[in-house]
Amino acid sequence: MTSTIDRSADQALKARHRAVWALGDYPAVAMDVIPELGPELVAASRVHAGDRVLDVAAGTGNAAVPAALTGATVIASDLTPELFVAGREFAQQHGVQVQWEEGDAEALPYDDGGFDVVLSCVGVMFAPHHQQAADELVRVCRPGGTIGLLSWTPEGFVGQLFKTMKPYAPPPPPGAQPPPLWGDEGHVRELLGDRVTEVAARRQTLTTDFFQTPDAWLAYWKTVYGPTIAVYRGIADDPERVAALDADLVALAARFDRGGDSLVMDWEYLIFTARKQG
Ligand SMILES: C[S@@+](CC[C@H](N)C(=O)[O-])C[C@H]1O[C@@H](n2cnc3c(N)ncnc32)[C@H](O)[C@@H]1O
């Protein structure tokens, strides 16, 4: 049974996570760098008109808005309601209705089996307790419904970004698991277990040429991406460590450069769909 102490520690952890994702300018990342991921996930999950869709850890609606464009009824749920301001604008630009609701992926505020499709685009992977979050995805999906997940792989650029930042960040709280594990097919199969069938999983890459150079990428990333901003804040009083992290991150971007006149990088992700047992 969860104790009051456990519950309040978890609430404090989630409050810190919310503050991290509200830092910088995540809406810019969604718009500038990864806009094609939401439509990709919606297509792979075969969302169609009339479906009741839940986008978990929806952010600014990268998947929720394209899902709504199919004619589905969509709830965009996220721990960080600060992001809904940009999400509402995004939905309005596309002329669709999306319902924006605050919620923790590890304790979704919805009844069992209420959704035909449960999606998460580089989202649920950031909830720290993987099994708890996976159980919630399964619980709120109706029998025969679809679970569609898109997650950065451990070996890909964003997985390596988190690996590179790790020595500069405070140790994770006990029980928290690394986000990019959701990009490992075996891990996700284990989390969902025999509660799902018709699993389809493939690795793909997002190609970005948004940044001219590795330095330009880092300058942008340090301004917009909450988890990176938070790590830099934690070492701000140690200029040597800041310089070392700068060098490590520039080297990372250079390692992923295809090579050419300007920076072109391929960021790998896993796209995973499954049907909940009927
Ligand atoms: C990388 S963003 C992805 C947002 C969006 N799905 C997209 O594709 O742009 C990660 C999102 O996960 C959300 N998040 C992190 N931990 C969460 C949790 N425990 N429950 C729900 N959302 C969470 C953050 O607030 C953030 O919006």
Side-chain angles (χ1 to χ4, degrees), residues 21 26 29 33-34 37 122 125-126 151-166 179-181 206 208 217 221 225 227-228 249 252 255-256 265-269:
W21 286 104
Y26 184 76
V29 176
V33 192
I34 62 163
L37 296 187
V122 294
M125 62 182 294
F126 291 102
S151 310
W152 302 118
T153 64
E155 300 79 12
F157 181 76
V158 179
Q160 293 295 301
L161 167 72
F162 278 90
K163 188 175 174 202
T164 305
M165 293 192 302
K166 193 173 174 207
L181 269 183
L206 165 85
T208 178
W217 165 74
W221 211 248
Y225 194 63
T228 299
L249 291 179
L252 173 71
R255 177 154 72 86
F256 277 81
M265 293 185 279
D266 296 316
W267 294 7
E268 188 185 58
Y269 57 86

Side-chain angles (χ1 to χ4, degrees), residues 1-77:
M1 198 169 147
T2 315
S3 73
T4 312
I5 293 174
D6 288 344
R7 249 197 317 275
S8 71
D10 191 59
Q11 279 168 357
L13 175 64
K14 300 297 167 50
R16 289 201 298 279
H17 286 184
R18 171 180 170 175
V20 164
W21 286 104
L23 285 171
D25 188 359
Y26 184 76
V29 176
M31 201 94 78
D32 294 342
V33 192
I34 62 163
E36 61 258 55
L37 296 187
E40 186 74 45
L41 177 61
V42 168
S45 307
R46 301 204 175 95
V47 175
H48 56 260
D51 281 345
R52 295 160 303 164
V53 175
L54 178 66
D55 182 5
V56 176
T60 54
N62 199 6
V65 168
L69 279 167
T70 68
T73 302
V74 183
I75 295 179
S77 163

Side-chain angles (χ1 to χ4, degrees), residues 83-103:
L83 300 174
F84 296 165
V85 177
R88 287 193 176 95
E89 273 171 35
F90 182 41
Q92 199 176 12
Q93 278 161 16
H94 286 85
V96 290
Q97 291 279 340
V98 169
Q99 208 168 313
W100 302 89
E101 296 183 356
E102 185 175 341

